[in-house]
Amino acid sequence: MNHRMIRYIIGSLIQMEAAMFLLPTITALIYKETVCIAAFMGTALFCVMAGHLLKGKKPEDVTIFSSEGYVSVAVCWVMMSICGAIPLYFSGYFPNPVDALFEIVSGFTTTGATILGDVEILPRSVLMWRSFSHWIGGMGVLVFMLALLPLAGASSMYLMRAESPGPSVGKLVPKVRSTAKILYSIYFFMTVLELILLLLAGCPLFDSVNLSFATAGTGGFGVLNSSAGEYNGIIQIILTVFMILFGVNFNVYFLIYTKNIKDAFKCEEARVYLGIIGASVLLITINTFPMFSGFWETLRHVAFQVASIITTTGFSTVDFELWPEFSRTILVILMFVGACAGSTGGGIKVSRIVIMAKTIVKELAVMNHPRSVRKTRFEGKTVEHEVLRSINVFLIAYLAVFVLSVLVISLDNLDGITNFTAVASTINNIGPGLSRVGPTQNFAVYSNLSKLVLTFDMLAGRLEIFPMLIMCTAGLKRKRWN
C-alpha cells in the first residue's frame, strides 16, 4: 500500500479545508461574532500546519489502486470531520466534542440530523458552516480536489469511485480531472440558479444561501427551527423542484450539456425515480387529504415531503409524524430507496433497486424455463456479473451494519421505532426519523456511544459502506499477516 501517497492526499485535503473556513470566517466578521472568528481562523491555521506536516515532499510514486483509494477516502472524510468539528466545539454552542463531531459529520455526509433543539440561537457563522458543509460533501470533497489538483494521474479514478455513490462510476470524458471539473461546474450552476430563484421568491439573502447549499447537497440543515415550514408556498415549491433535480444522476445533466437530449430522456433510472416520486405523491395525497385545507395545499406539502425523503434531504414543512400510518410507511420505504446513483442523494439508490427487481424477474423466468438463456439489462446494456455481485455484497454489508447499529443503540432503552428510524435516517443520510427523532425532535436523546455509532453510520452511508469497513479492517489485516 502506498502510504506516502495516502498521507499526501490527506494533507492536501486538510489544507484545502482550511480555505473552506474562509466563508464562515467572513460571515463571522460581517456579523461581528468575535468568538467564532477566533474559532474558525484558529482552526484554519491548524489545518494549514497539519496538512503541511502530513504532505511533506510529494512522493515519486503517485500510483494508487483500489485499496489505497478506499482507505484514502475513508481517512480523508474522518480527518475532515474532526477538523470541521473543532470550530463548532470552540464556538461554545457544542460543549460536548461528540456532539460537535456528530453535527459536522451530519453536515458533510448531507444527513441533516442534529442534536440541537433550537438552531436559531446559533451564530450566523456556525449556521453558514453547517449548511456549507452540505454543499462540500454533496458532490464529494475529493472530487472537488481532483478538479483542482492532478494528484494521482489516471489512477485517481479509484478515489472518485470510492467517494461517488452508486453501483458503478465511470468517466464522462477521458480524463478524470476533466470529469471532476464538469461535475462541479454543473453542481455550481444549479446551486446559483436555485439561489437566484429563492431571492426572486422573496427569501432573505442569508436564508437563500443556506437553503441553496443544503438543497444542493441534499442535506437539510436549516436556519429556522421550523425547517422550511415558515417560508411561503413559492419558496417551498422551488425547494421541492431542486431537491428532485439534485436527486437525478448528474450524467443526465452532462448529456443535456453536450446536447444529447434524446439519450438524457432515455435514462431508465431517472424515469423510475420520477415514477416512484409521482406514485408516492399520489398515494399520500389521497391518504392525507382530510388533514389539509384543500387539494393544492395537500399536494404542495406532500410533494415537498416525498422529495425531501427520497432525495434524503431532510427538510420538512409539516410534522409528518402526525400523518396516517400508511403515509408514514411509504416515507420509511422511500428512506431506503433513496435517489439516483451519481447524484448528491443517499439511500440504497434507485439503480440498485431496479437491477435487483430485474434480477428477481430473470431468476423466476429461468425457474419456469430452465433451458432459456436470459440476461439482466439496465440502461440498454447487459448488467455484468461483477456488478450484480457487488450489489449483492453491498446489500449484505448494508444489512449487517444496520442490524448491528440498531442493536448497539438499543442499549439506551429507547423505543424500537425510534432506534430503527434513527439508524435508517443516518445510514441513508436523511436526517429526521420517526417518534423521538421525528421532524420536530432531535438526536440529543442518545448517549455518546450511540451518537458515535450513528456518526459511523452517516459516514458509512455516504461512502457506500466499503471504504469505512476497509479502513477499520486494514490495520487488523496488516497485524494478522505480520
Side-chain angles (χ1 to χ4, degrees):
M1 186 171 288
N2 193 343
H3 293 94
R4 290 188 62 187
M5 189 59 195
I6 293 175
R7 287 197 301 271
Y8 185 84
I9 293 172
I10 296 171
S12 299
L13 176 70
I14 292 175
Q15 287 189 325
M16 190 176 71
E17 186 175 10
M20 295 173 184
F21 287 124
L22 181 62
L23 180 60
T25 301
I26 293 174
T27 306
L29 288 169
I30 292 173
Y31 291 97
K32 299 178 181 179
E33 297 165 350
T34 308
V35 174
C36 294
I37 293 172
F40 284 111
M41 291 187 66
T43 307
L45 181 60
F46 168 77
C47 289
V48 170
M49 294 189 295
H52 179 74
L53 291 174
L54 281 170
K55 283 177 64 177
K57 184 180 179 181
K58 186 173 182 178
E60 296 180 2
D61 181 12
V62 297
T63 304
I64 58 174
F65 296 101
S66 181
S67 58
E68 286 97 336
Y70 282 118
V71 172
S72 297
V73 167
V75 176
C76 278
W77 275 73
V78 171
M79 294 299 296
M80 177 179 67
S81 299
I82 292 173
C83 292
I86 294 174
L88 295 184
Y89 176 72
F90 284 105
S91 72
Y93 289 86
F94 298 86
N96 183 351
V98 174
D99 287 349
L101 181 63
F102 180 95
E103 196 79 8
I104 200 60
V105 168
S106 180
F108 282 130
T109 59
T110 72
T111 303
T114 182
I115 53 87
L116 297 170
D118 183 6
V119 299
E120 294 180 17
I121 65 171
L122 294 177
R124 292 297 183 96
S125 57
V126 173
L127 289 172
M128 182 64 74
W129 177 233
R130 290 166 80 243
S131 299
F132 188 43
S133 66
H134 281 330
W135 196 85
I136 295 168
M139 186 58 65
V141 66
L142 285 168
V143 173
F144 181 63
M145 189 164 67
L146 290 173
L148 299 178
L149 303 173
L151 287 177
S155 59
S156 59
M157 189 64 205
Y158 289 113
L159 291 175
M160 183 175 289
R161 285 177 177 169
E163 187 179 45
S164 300
S168 60
V169 177
K171 293 181 286 186
L172 302 179
V173 292
K175 293 184 178 181
V176 175
R177 190 180 181 189
S178 298
T179 296
K181 286 182 178 179
I182 290 171
L183 288 174
Y184 256 96
S185 296
I186 297 171
Y187 189 49
F188 181 79
F189 171 77
M190 292 176 63
T191 304
V192 173
L193 178 61
E194 181 186 3
L195 173 61
I196 293 172
L197 291 176
L198 288 173
L199 290 172
L200 292 175
C203 188
L205 176 60
F206 182 80
D207 294 41
S208 296
V209 173
N210 281 270
L211 289 173
S212 298
F213 284 151
T215 307
T218 60
F221 275 152
V223 297
L224 302 176
N225 292 329
S226 62
S227 187
E230 293 183 27
Y231 299 112
N232 63 48
I234 297 176
I235 292 175
Q236 293 175 0
I237 291 172
I238 293 172
L239 293 175
T240 301
V241 171
F242 275 91
M243 283 190 290
I244 294 173
L245 290 177
F246 280 108
V248 174
N249 192 322
F250 271 61
N251 285 353
V252 173
Y253 301 130
F254 174 74
L255 291 173
I256 295 173
Y257 171 75
T258 55
K259 299 181 180 180
N260 293 321
I261 308 298
K262 290 184 179 180
D263 291 337
F265 282 102
K266 289 179 181 178
C267 179
E268 184 178 359
E269 183 184 26
R271 295 200 307 270
V272 174
Y273 164 73
L274 295 175
I276 292 173
I277 292 175
S280 301
V281 169
L282 176 63
L283 292 173
I284 297 178
T285 298
I286 295 172
N287 189 230
T288 60
F289 183 74
M291 301 181 65
F292 297 96
S293 60
F295 172 76
W296 291 112
E297 182 184 358
T298 306
L299 182 63
R300 173 164 55 86
H301 288 299
V302 171
F304 185 98
Q305 214 54 67
V306 168
S308 178
I309 295 298
I310 194 171
T311 61
T312 69
T313 305
F315 281 136
S316 62
T317 57
V318 293
D319 184 4
F320 56 80
E321 175 71 20
L322 303 176
W323 286 4
E325 190 64 32
F326 177 75
S327 297
R328 291 192 298 160
T329 301
I330 292 176
L331 293 180
V332 171
I333 293 172
L334 295 180
M335 287 183 183
F336 290 93
V337 173
C340 298
S343 70
T344 60
I348 293 175
K349 303 296 181 301
V350 173
S351 57
R352 287 193 179 100
I353 302 295
V354 173
I355 292 173
M356 285 189 296
K358 288 189 172 185
T359 302
I360 292 172
V361 172
K362 185 201 74 171
E363 292 300 323
L364 290 174
V366 171
M367 289 178 184
N368 288 325
H369 305 282
R371 294 185 179 181
S372 65
V373 178
R374 296 175 180 266
K375 294 183 179 181
T376 302
R377 296 183 64 82
F378 179 70
E379 303 283 8
K381 300 177 182 178
T382 300
V383 180
E384 300 294 335
H385 174 74
E386 185 67 21
V387 175
L388 294 175
R389 185 189 67 82
S390 67
I391 291 175
N392 293 334
V393 174
F394 169 83
L395 291 174
I396 293 171
Y398 177 95
L399 183 61
V401 172
F402 192 100
V403 171
L404 184 59
S405 298
V406 172
L407 182 63
V408 173
I409 70 172
S410 66
L411 294 172
D412 287 349
N413 290 320
L414 297 178
D415 63 276
I417 294 177
T418 298
N419 291 332
F420 182 87
T421 57
V423 174
S425 66
T426 50
I427 200 171
N428 294 312
N429 305 132
I430 294 165
L434 296 175
S435 191
R436 300 285 296 278
V437 291
T440 61
Q441 306 293 324
N442 58 71
F443 286 73
V445 293
Y446 282 108
S447 65
N448 285 340
L449 173 61
S450 294
K451 289 173 186 174
L452 289 173
V453 171
L454 296 173
T455 298
F456 176 87
D457 289 343
M458 288 188 281
L459 287 167
R462 172 59 183 83
L463 300 178
E464 303 273 283
I465 308 296
F466 294 113
M468 294 300 295
L469 295 183
I470 291 175
M471 180 191 71
C472 293
T473 58
L476 295 175
K477 183 178 179 181
R478 184 165 59 251
K479 289 180 181 179
R480 178 183 175 186
W481 289 106
N482 287 341

